[in-house]
Amino acid sequence: MKTTDFFSKRIWLTSLFAVLVGGFLYSVGIHFFVTALGAYTGGVTGLSQLFILTLSRAGIPTPSLGIITILFNIPILIFGWVKVEKRFTILSIISVLYVGLLLTYFDSLPRVLLTEQTFINIVFGGLLVGTGTGLTLRYGGSTGGTDVLLTYASYKRGKSFGGYAILSNMVIVLAAYLLNPDNTEGILITIILFFFVSLVINQVHTKHKRFTAFIVSSKHEKLIEQIHLKCGRGATILQGEGAYAHNKKSVIMTVVSSYQLYTLKDIIARYEPTAFVNIVPTKEIFGNFVNNKTELPLKK
C-alpha cells in the first residue's frame, strides 16, 4: 500500500475501529429503539423498512432487514467506488456488511423497549443512531446507502451533511405515511428521531469545517513536503523566536479541513513529535485560497 494513495496503517486501524464501533451503535439504535418504537430510520435502511412493510402487506415472505439493506446498498456502493476515493468506499463496504450482519442477528432477538418512557427511547435512539453515523463519517467511512450520496453532495457544495439528511429523510416520512397512514404515532416519532439524529451527526461529523494550524518547527521542510503530499494543501512559513532560549524557529501556518486534520496530526507525530502545535477553528477564508478537491474524499 503506497503512502501517497492511502493514509498510514495507523490511521487505517483507527478508522476501522471507529467504523466498527459506529456500526454497532447504529445497529443497536435501529433495532432496540427505532423499530421497537414503530418508527422508521433514514436512508437505505429506512427504504428497506418500507420495502419490508410493502411485501408483508402483500403476503410475501421477506428476508431480514439487514439482508435487504445490504442488497439495496450494492448499486450505491458501486457509485461510491467510481466517484469517491477507495479508502472511503472500502470503509463504507465494511460498515454496510457489518451493520447488515448485526441487524440480521438482532432480528433473532426480541424487539422490546428498554423503558416505557417514549421520549427517553426517542432521545437514546437518536443519540445512538446519530453517534454511530457521525463517528463512521468522521473517520472516513459511511454507513452506506444515502450516506454515500449525501457525503458526496455535502463535500461538493461545502454544506452541512445533517441538512441534506433532513431533506432526504422527509421523503422517507412521506412514503411511510402514504404506505401506512394508520401509524400516525410512529410517523411523528420518526420526525422527532430525525431531528435528534441530525443534531448529533452535525456535532460529531463536521468535515465541511476548516481549521488553521500553527506548527512551531525545526524541521519545516519535511513537514511542508508531507502537507503538500498527503493533504494537498499549501502553507506559509513565518519566522519565530523562542521567548526563553531565543532559539530561531519556523512557524508553519496552514489551513485544512477537519477531514485532513487527522492526517496532519499523524504527519506531525511521525516526522516531528516534539513540535508545538496550535489548532484553531477558521470561521471565514477569502483572498488567495483555493478550495482543493483533495480535502474531499472524491476521486482526483
Side-chain angles (χ1 to χ4, degrees):
M1 182 185 300
K2 296 182 180 179
T3 57
T4 54
D5 297 329
F6 298 99
F7 292 140
S8 67
K9 188 178 295 184
R10 172 187 168 188
I11 292 182
W12 266 99
L13 292 176
T14 303
S15 298
L16 179 60
F17 178 75
V19 165
L20 295 179
V21 172
F24 179 78
L25 295 176
Y26 176 84
S27 302
V28 170
I30 293 298
H31 181 82
F32 292 102
F33 291 93
V34 177
T35 55
L37 285 166
Y40 301 90
T41 185
V44 168
T45 307
L47 292 175
S48 300
Q49 288 178 282
L50 297 177
F51 181 71
I52 290 175
L53 175 63
T54 302
L55 292 182
S56 63
R57 287 193 164 190
I60 302 175
T62 60
S64 70
L65 176 62
I67 297 300
I68 295 179
T69 301
I70 291 175
L71 294 176
F72 278 12
N73 267 294
I74 291 175
I76 298 177
L77 291 173
I78 292 174
F79 168 84
W81 189 264
V82 174
K83 292 291 186 179
V84 184
E85 281 187 353
K86 293 294 189 292
R87 175 180 181 271
F88 176 83
T89 309
I90 290 172
L91 289 173
S92 298
I93 292 172
I94 293 172
S95 176
V96 166
L97 294 175
Y98 179 62
V99 168
L101 292 175
L102 281 177
L103 289 175
T104 301
Y105 169 71
F106 288 156
D107 274 346
S108 65
L109 303 177
R111 190 174 284 113
V112 180
L113 289 173
L114 300 184
T115 175
E116 296 180 356
Q117 299 294 322
T118 301
F119 184 73
I120 294 177
N121 285 308
I122 292 173
V123 171
F124 272 90
L127 183 64
L128 287 169
V129 174
T131 302
T133 303
L135 187 65
T136 303
L137 290 165
R138 185 183 181 94
Y139 284 90
S142 76
T143 52
T146 54
D147 283 358
V148 176
L149 303 178
L150 295 180
T151 298
Y152 183 82
S154 174
Y155 282 129
K156 276 287 190 181
R157 296 181 176 271
K159 302 295 184 181
S160 165
F161 176 92
Y164 283 116
I166 290 177
L167 294 176
S168 67
N169 288 338
M170 288 302 100
V171 176
I172 301 292
V173 171
L174 179 61
Y177 177 75
L178 293 176
L179 287 172
N180 191 12
D182 296 330
N183 186 22
T184 306
E185 181 178 347
I187 300 298
L188 294 175
I189 291 174
T190 299
I191 294 173
I192 300 173
L193 270 169
F194 285 162
F195 175 75
F196 278 107
V197 169
S198 178
L199 286 179
V200 175
I201 288 176
N202 274 340
Q203 289 299 313
V204 179
H205 168 65
T206 55
K207 288 181 182 173
H208 59 286
K209 295 183 179 178
R210 293 191 178 97
F211 296 86
T212 299
F214 296 91
I215 309 164
V216 181
S217 169
S218 57
K219 302 176 182 177
H220 64 273
E221 295 91 351
K222 190 64 177 178
L223 290 181
I224 291 175
E225 175 190 339
Q226 292 299 312
I227 290 171
H228 285 323
L229 181 64
K230 294 185 178 179
C231 296
R233 292 254 60 102
T236 299
I237 302 175
L238 309 175
Q239 297 305 315
E241 180 180 338
Y244 179 75
H246 298 285
N247 293 327
K248 301 297 182 182
K249 294 281 187 177
S250 296
V251 181
I252 303 171
M253 183 183 73
T254 185
V255 179
V256 296
S257 69
S258 44
Y259 180 79
Q260 297 166 323
L261 185 58
Y262 192 64
T263 306
L264 179 64
K265 290 180 180 179
D266 186 70
I267 290 171
I268 297 169
R270 176 178 297 185
Y271 294 100
E272 194 175 358
T274 59
F276 176 80
V277 183
N278 183 27
I279 298 172
V280 295
T282 301
K283 184 176 181 180
E284 184 178 3
I285 300 174
F286 58 90
N288 189 22
F289 181 83
V290 178
N291 287 317
N292 196 324
K293 293 291 186 181
T294 57
E295 71 180 65
L296 315 180
L298 308 181
K299 279 193 174 179
K300 300 177 181 63

